[in-house]
C-alpha cells in the first residue's frame, strides 16, 4: 500500500514492469522492492529448500531480496530502481545476462571516505574545507546513510522535516567544500590502506588514498526467533526505509518489536502515513523511578532528543497504539508470509513485523586491513574498532568513525567524523580550524548515548533450537548446538562444519548468534577472517588478463600465530602406540585407517582439526596432469607428477567408500575432467599429455571441438578441443573433512587439539613428542603436517624438501546448472567446478600473500582479477555472475609426488605428506597405515630416498 502525507507527493511518472508474469505499477525513481511492497507482494523468491524469502534489511546487506532482472541474476530488489518494461522473477534465468564491463581505472586522492552517512559526510566536509582532495564513496543513490537518507527520487517534499533537512544540508555543504560524492559505489576489497577496490556504477576502480577514513555505518543485529525468515518480517530500519523514503508499506497490520527508540520513531512515521501499528513490543522494562538520574543526564546532554522521545510516546498513546514494555517476541508463523506473532502468551494477527534489537558496526573493511578490535558486551555483543580520540587506528593513515567503528548514534557520529576529517587533513599538512567544539559535542553525545542505553537496557533474546540462525544457508540453532555437542568449539570450525555464515550476506546476520552458541564467546581474533569481496560483487568488471606465473614458494612457512578457542585441557603425559601429527586430510586418513586396523592412535593438532589447507582448497579431485606438470623439460617417463597418476583413481575410490561409511555423498561427483585447448598448439600439447597419462594407466581422450560442445555446451566457443579424463571430479572438502574426523574417532582414534609440537626425541619406548599440552610417548610417529612438515622434520634432524605456496579459491553466487565437469585450460592456471548449491568454485593455483610474522594469508587483488578472467574465458556464463567470497590457504609444495614411508635412519618415524592433499589424502593415509601395520613397502617413487 502507498502511504499518505500532508506535504510529500509522488513526482515520478507511472511505469510498469513484470514480476513473475504479473504486471506491477511503479513510480519512476523508486526501487523494485518498493514497487512490489506497494502492490502487496512480500514473497520475492524461494530458497533451494523451497522456503519463501522477501525484503528484510532494506539496505543491501542481507541479500534476502535478490531477484533476477532481465536475465541478470542476484540483483538486490531493495537497491535496484524500477524501470519501464523490466522483467523481474524470483527464479534463475535460462540464460545468464551481464551488463557491459567498463575499462578499469585507478585514482589517487588525499582523503578517501568510505560511507556516506553522517560520520562520512562530516569527515569529508572537514577535510575538504581544509583544502584536501576528498572522494566519498557510498553504495546508495545518494549519501546520507540510514539516519540522514533522502526522500526517494519518486517523491518530493516542499517542507521536509528536520531529519531530511539535516541530510540535505550535509550533502550540500560537502559539495560546496569540493568533496566528490560518488553514489552507487560499492567497496569490495581493502588490500592495503592505499589499495581500495571498488565498483563505481559498474566500473572497477582502485583507489590509492593518502589517508583513509572508514565510516561504514552499522546494520541491525540478528533476532533469531522461529519464523523470522518469513516474508513480511523485516528489520525496523528496512521497514523505515520503505515508509520514510519510499512512502510504501507492504501491509496494514504492522507489529513492531525489539528494543530502543528507533522502534518508536517507526511507529510514529507509520501513523503519519496512515497506518496504525498493531502494537510496539519493547524488550526493556518501563523506566521506573530509579531511571531519573539517567533521564536527567540525557536532559543535560541533549534536551531536544529527550523531548522528541517523550513526544513520540505521547503521539502513540494518543493514537491508541500500545507500547508493551518488558516483552519480547517468542515466535512468528505463516505460510508464504508472516500472519501471526506470539509474545508473552498473546497472539497478534499481522501482515508485517519489524524487528530491532540493536545494531552491529560494519567492521569488515577495518578487520580486513588488520585494525585491532575489541568485543563489546551490549545486546547480542559486537566487535568495535580500536581508535584514539580522533578516530585514528593502529594502522598508519587509517581512521574509523561513526557507528561503523562503535555504536553511538548520529550526534556522536557527526562529531567523531569531523574530528577524523580534521586530523587526516592535519596529517597531510593542511591548515585546520580548532576542533574544540567538535570535542565538546562528542562528549555530550556520548553522555546522552550512555544514559539512553541504560534506560533501554534489555535482556538477550533466548535462542531456541528451531530458530534459523543463518538465513542464507538455512542453518538452525539446533544444528549448530549438535556440532558443539560433538566437540567443535570455535566459530570458524562451526562455520566450516555447517556452512553457517557462508552465504551472500557473509555472516552479517548470523555471526553474532553463532558466537553466542560457542562454548566460550570468541575474542576478536576468534571470529572468521573477513575476505574479499566484502560483499558479493559482479565478476565481469573485475576481470583482467594476467600473464602466467610460477607461484612463489614459502621456504619455511611459519604456522599461524592465531589458533582457535578450544576447551581447556590439562598438561599431562599421554601414551599411544602411534602418534599422528597433523589433523588435515592426510593425518585424518592415516588415523582412520590405523584405527580401523586396531592400532591405538593419538591424533595431535595445534588447532581444531581440519582448519588449514584441507578445508581451504577448491575440492578438486585431480587425476590428469595439470598444466604445470608437463612441459618440454619433463623427463621421458613423466617425472614425479606422472609417477603419482595411478594414486588419483585409487584415492577417489577411497573417498567414495568414506562417503558410504559416513552415510552421505560428501558432494562427490566424478563425471570427468576437461582440460581445454584454445588453439592448435594447445591441442597438440594435450595430445602429448594424454599419451603420457595413458602410459600410466589413466583413461584419457582427446576431444575435438564438436565432441566438446556436445559434452559441455557451457564451454566457450573459442575452445578447439579438450583432454577428457572420465575419472576426475570434485567434492565438498568441508563435508569430507568433517566425515573423516567423525569416522576416525568412531574407529577409536583419539584427538589432542590445541597441542603445539615443540620437540620430538627418541626414547626407550620409541619416541617422545613434547607438546604444549604435555608429553606424548609413542612407539611410532607420523609427520602429516603438510606445508609445515619440514619444521617437524628439523626437530629430528631430517631435512625434508617440503615447502608451501599460498593458493586462492573464489566462489560465485548460486547459478543454474552450467557444468558437471572439473574444468581446466591448457597452459593456464585454472580449476573450475560447480557445487551442488549452484556456486562455481574457482581455483587453479593463483597465489596470495603470506605474512611471515603471523602466518596469515590474504588475497591479492590482481590475482582475483586474473583468475576470474581465465574462468570466463573457459565458461563465458561467469560474466553474468557475482563472486561471493575468495579465500587463501597454504598448500603443500613438493616435487608433485607424495613423500611417504619410514625415514631412513629413524626407525618408527614416518612421513605422510603430499601436494594435492584433498585428492590424495585417503590413499596417502591408507598407504601409510599399511606400511606401519603390515610392513607393506612404499613405492620408491614416493619415498624420501628419491631426493638422494
Amino acid at each position: 500500500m502507498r502511504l499518505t502525507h500532508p506535504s510529500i507527493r509522488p513526482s515520478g511518472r507511472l511505469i510498469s514492469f513484470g514480476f513473475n508474469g504479473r504486471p506491477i505499477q511503479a513510480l519512476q525513481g523508486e526501487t523494485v522492492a518498493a514497487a512490489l511492497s506497494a502492490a502487496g507482494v512480500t514473497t520475492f523468491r524461494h530458497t533451494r529448500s523451497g522456503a519463501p524469502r522477501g525484503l528484510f534489511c532494506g539496505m543491501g546487506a542481507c541479500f534476502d531480496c535478490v531477484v533476477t532482472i532481465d536475465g541478470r541474476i542476484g540483483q538486490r530488489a531493495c537497491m535496484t530502481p524500477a524501470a519501464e518494461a523490466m522483467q523481474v522473477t524470483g527464479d534463475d534465468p535460462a540464460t545468464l545476462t551481464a551488463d557491459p564491463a567498463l575499462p578499469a581505472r585507478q585514482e589517487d586522492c588525499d582523503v578517501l571516505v568510505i560511507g556516506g552517512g553522517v560520520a562520512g559526510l562530516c569527515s569529508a566536509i572537514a577535510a575538504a574545507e581544509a583544502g584536501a582532495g576528498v572522494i566519498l564513496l557510498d553504495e546508495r543513490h545518494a549519501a546520507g546513510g540510514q539516519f540522514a537518507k533522502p526522500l526517494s527520487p519518486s517523491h518530493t517534499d516542499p517542507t521536509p522535516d528536520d531529519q531530511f533537512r539535516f541530510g540535505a544540508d550535509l550533502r550540500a555543504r560537502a559539495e560546496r567544500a569540493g568533496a566528490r560524492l560518488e553514489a552507487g559505489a560499492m567497496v569490495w576489497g581493502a588490500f592495503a590502506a592505499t589499495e581500495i577496490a571498488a565498483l563505481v556504477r559498474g566500473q572497477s576502480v582502485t583507489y590509492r588514498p593518502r589517508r583513509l577514513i572508514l565510516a561504514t555505518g552499522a546494520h541491525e543485529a540478528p533476532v533469531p526467533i522461529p519464523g523470522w525468515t518469513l516474508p513480511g518480517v523485516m528489520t525496523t530500519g528496512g521497514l523505515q526505509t520503505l515508509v520514510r523514503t519510499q512512502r510504501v508499506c507492504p501491509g496494514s497490520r504492522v507489529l513492531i518489536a525489539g528494543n530502543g527508540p528507533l522502534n518508536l520513531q517507526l511507529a510514529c512515521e507509520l501513523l503519519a502515513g496512515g497506518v496504525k501499528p498493531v502494537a510496539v513490543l519493547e524488550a526493556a522494562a518501563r523506566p521506573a523511578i530509579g531511571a531519573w538520574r539517567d533521564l536527567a543526564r540525557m536532559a543535560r546532554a541533549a534536551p531536544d532528543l529527550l523531548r522528541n522521545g517523550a513526544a513520540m510516546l505521547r503521539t502513540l498513546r494518543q493514537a491508541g497504539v500500545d507500547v508493551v514494555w518488558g516483552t519480547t517476541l517468542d515466535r512468528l508463523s505463516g505460510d508464504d508470509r508472516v500472519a501471526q506473532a506470539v509474545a508473552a502468551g498473546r497472539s497478534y494477527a499481522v501482515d508485517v513485523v519489524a524487528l530491532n534489537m540493536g545494531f552491529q558496526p560494519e567492521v569488515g573493511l577495518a578487520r580486513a586491513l588488520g585494525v585491532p578490535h575489541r568485543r563489546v558486551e551490549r545486546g547480542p555483543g559486537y566487535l568495535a574498532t580500536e581508535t584514539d580520540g580522533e578516530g585514528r587506528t593502529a594502522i598508519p593513515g587509517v581512521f574509523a568513525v561513526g557507528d561503523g567503528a562503535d555504536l553511538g548514534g548520529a550526534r556522536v557520529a557527526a562529531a567523531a567524523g569531523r574530528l577524523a576529517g580534521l586530523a587526516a587533513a592535519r596529517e597531510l599538512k593542511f591548515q585546520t580550524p580548532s576542533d574544540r567544539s567538535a570535542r565538546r559535542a562528542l562528549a555530550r553525545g556520548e553522555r546522552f548515548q550512555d544514559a539512553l542505553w541504560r534506560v533501554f537496557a534489555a535482556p538477550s533474546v533466548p535462542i531456541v533450537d528451531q530458530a534459523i540462525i543463518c538465513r542464507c544457508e538455512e542453518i538452525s540453532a539446533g544444528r549448530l548446538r549438535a556440532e558443539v555437542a560433538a566437540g567443535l568449539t570455535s566459530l570458524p570450525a562451526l562455520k566450516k562444519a555447517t556452512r553457517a555464515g557462508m552465504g551472500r550476506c557473509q555472516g552479517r546476520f548470523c555471526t553474532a548468534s553463532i558466537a553466542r552458541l560457542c562454548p566460550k564467546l570468541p575474542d576478536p581474533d576468534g571470529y572468521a577472517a573477513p575476505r574479499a569481496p566484502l560483499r558479493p560483487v559482479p565478476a565481469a568488471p573485475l576481470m583482467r588478463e594476467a600473464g602466467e606465473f610460477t607461484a612463489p614458494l614459502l621456504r619455511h612457512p611459519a604456522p599461524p600465530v592465531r589458533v582457535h578457542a578450544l576447551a581447556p585441557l590439562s598438561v599431562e603425559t599421554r601414551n599411544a602406540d602411534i602418534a599422528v601429527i597433523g589433523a588435515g586430510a592426510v593425518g585424518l586418513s592415516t588415523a582412520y585407517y590405523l584405527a580401523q586396523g586396531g592400532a591405538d592412535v593419538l591424533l595431535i593438532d595445534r588447532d581444531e582439526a581440519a582448519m588449514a589447507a584441507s578445508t581451504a582448497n577448491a575440492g578438486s579431485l585431480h587425476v590428469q596432469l595439470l598444466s604445470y606438470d608437463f612441459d618440454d623439460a619433463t623427463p621421458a617417463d613423466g617425472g614425479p607428477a606422472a609417477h603419482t597418476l595411478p594414486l588419483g583413481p585409487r584415492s577417489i575410490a577411497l573417498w567414495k567408500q568414506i562417503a558410504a561409511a559416513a552415510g552421505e555423498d560428501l558432494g562427490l561427483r566424478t563425471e570427468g575432467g576437461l582440460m581445454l585447448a584454445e588453439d592448435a598448439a594447445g591441442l597438440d600439447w594435450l595430445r602429448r599429455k594424454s599419451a603420457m597419462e595413458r602410459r600410466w594407466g589413466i583413461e584419457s581422450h582427446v576431444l575435438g571441438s564438436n565432441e566438446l560442445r556436445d559434452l559441455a555446451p557451457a564451454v566457450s566457443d573459442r575452445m578447439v578441443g579438450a583432454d577428457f579424463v572420465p575419472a576426475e571430479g570434485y567434492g565438498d572438502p568441508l563435508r569430507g573433512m568433517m566425515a573423516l574426523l567423525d569416522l576416525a574417532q568412531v574407529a577409536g582414534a583419539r584427538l589432542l587439539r590445541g597441542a603445539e609440537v615443540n620437540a620430538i626425541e627418541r626414547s626407550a619406548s620409541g619416541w617422545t613428542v613434547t607438546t604444549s599440552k604435555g608429553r606424548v610417548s609413542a612407539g611410532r610417529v607420523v609427520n602429516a603436517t603438510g606445508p609445515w612438515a619440514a619444521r617437524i622434520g628439523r626437530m629430528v634432524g631430517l631435512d625434508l624438501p617440503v615447502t608451501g605456496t599460498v593458493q586462492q579459491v573464489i566462489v560465485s553466487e548460486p547459478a543454474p546448472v552450467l557444468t558437471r565437469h572439473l574444468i581446466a585450460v591448457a597452459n593456464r592456471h585454472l580449476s573450475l567446478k560447480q557445487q551442488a548449491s549452484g556456486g562455481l568454485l574457482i581455483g587453479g593455483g593463483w597465489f596470495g600473500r603470506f605474512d611471515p610474522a603471523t602466518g596469515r594469508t590474504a588475497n591479492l587483488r590482481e590475482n582475483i582479477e586474473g583468475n576470474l578472467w581465465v574462468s570466463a574465458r573457459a565458461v563465458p556464463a561467469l560474466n553474468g555472475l557475482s563472486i561471493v567470497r575468495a579465500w587463501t590457504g597454504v598448500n603443500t609444495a613438493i616435487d608433485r609426488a607424495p613423500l611417504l614411508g619410514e625415514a631412513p635412519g629413524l626407525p618408527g618415524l614416518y612421513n605422510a605428506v603430499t601436494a594435492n592433499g584433498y585428492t590424495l589424502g585417503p590413499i596417502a593415509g591408507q598407504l601409510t597405515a599399511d606400511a606401519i601395520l603390515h610392513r607393506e613397502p612404499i613405492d620408491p617413487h614416493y619415498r624420501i630416498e628419491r631426493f638422494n
Side-chain angles (χ1 to χ4, degrees), residues 164 197 416 447 476 538 759 769 868:
F164 279 138
R447 287 197 300 272
S476 70
V769 181
L868 290 175

Side-chain angles (χ1 to χ4, degrees), residues 56 220-230 233-235 257-258 328-332 355-358 360 379-381 459-471 475-478 480-481 508-517:
F56 179 63
E220 278 161 281
V223 188
I225 60 174
W228 77 308
T229 60
L230 283 168
V233 182
M234 305 173 60
T235 66
T328 58
L329 275 176
D330 298 322
R331 63 185 182 274
L332 303 166
L355 301 175
N356 178 285
M357 283 295 291
Q360 295 184 315
S460 297
V461 177
I463 301 177
V464 300
D465 283 352
Q466 297 86 352
I468 294 294
I469 296 294
C470 176
R471 301 173 63 91
I475 307 299
S476 70
L480 289 159
R481 286 193 173 109
R508 285 175 174 83
F509 290 93
C510 66
T511 296
S513 302
I514 299 171
R516 289 175 59 190
L517 298 178

Side-chain angles (χ1 to χ4, degrees), residues 292-302 447-448 451 454:
W292 71 267
R293 288 186 179 87
D294 285 320
L295 293 171
R297 292 185 184 100
M298 293 165 64
R300 288 193 298 270
R447 287 197 300 272
F448 179 90
R454 285 191 293 271

Side-chain angles (χ1 to χ4, degrees), residues 847-870:
F847 60 91
R849 180 188 295 117
F850 183 78
D851 181 358
T854 64
R856 291 189 178 187
T857 63
N859 291 98
L860 295 169
R861 174 184 52 82
E862 58 271 24
N863 283 357
I864 291 176
E865 295 167 344
N867 205 171
L868 290 175
W869 183 89
V870 176

Side-chain angles (χ1 to χ4, degrees), residues 446-688:
E446 288 175 339
R447 287 197 300 272
F448 179 90
Q449 196 66 42
D450 288 343
L452 179 69
W453 275 322
R454 285 191 293 271
V455 170
F456 277 91
S460 297
V461 177
I463 301 177
V464 300
D465 283 352
Q466 297 86 352
I468 294 294
I469 296 294
C470 176
R471 301 173 63 91
C472 300
E473 298 292 331
E474 301 180 88
I475 307 299
S476 70
R479 167 77 189 283
L480 289 159
R481 286 193 173 109
E483 296 293 346
V484 171
L488 297 184
T489 60
S490 72
L491 195 155
L494 288 171
K495 177 179 177 180
K496 287 190 174 186
T498 65
R499 301 190 63 83
M502 291 191 178
R504 283 184 169 109
C505 95
Q506 300 175 330
R508 285 175 174 83
F509 290 93
C510 66
T511 296
S513 302
I514 299 171
R516 289 175 59 190
L517 298 178
C518 290
K520 179 183 177 183
L521 280 173
D523 61 22
D525 281 340
Y527 284 73
R531 302 290 190 183
L534 293 160
R535 59 181 60 196
V537 60
L542 310 187
M543 296 173 184
R544 216 90 62 241
E545 183 175 9
E548 281 300 296
F549 56 85
T550 299
L553 296 177
L554 310 173
R555 291 297 172 188
H556 299 294
V561 171
R562 179 178 67 84
V563 294
H564 299 96
L566 297 169
L569 197 63
S570 61
V571 175
E572 60 183 67
T573 298
R574 296 170 173 85
N575 298 290
D577 291 343
I578 304 165
V580 179
I581 306 173
V586 177
L588 285 170
S589 297
T590 302
Y592 173 48
Y593 291 116
L594 285 169
Q596 269 197 329
D600 173 32
V601 185
L602 181 65
L603 187 60
I604 304 171
D605 200 279
R606 66 191 302 273
D607 203 341
E608 292 218 51
M611 292 301 291
S614 295
T615 48
N617 67 86
S620 301
L621 294 173
H622 291 295
V623 174
Q624 64 180 301
L625 294 167
L626 304 178
S627 287
Y628 38 85
D629 287 338
F630 188 75
D631 56 28
D632 292 340
T634 298
D637 70 347
H643 303 159
T644 307
L645 285 173
L647 297 183
R650 293 173 63 187
S651 200
I652 293 171
L654 291 176
W655 268 122
K656 292 179 180 179
Q657 292 176 18
I658 290 166
E664 62 164 315
D665 65 13
L666 305 183
L668 296 174
R669 178 172 283 165
T670 51
E671 299 189 32
L674 291 165
M675 183 171 287
L676 311 174
E678 299 183 73
D679 52 33
L683 193 56
D684 182 63
W685 179 84
L686 286 180
R687 292 190 181 99
R688 290 183 282 117

Side-chain angles (χ1 to χ4, degrees), residues 12-27:
R13 71 180 180 89
L14 198 62
I15 60 175
S16 178
F17 66 86
F19 175 71
N20 290 340
R22 168 188 169 184
I24 300 292
Q25 299 296 309
L27 295 174

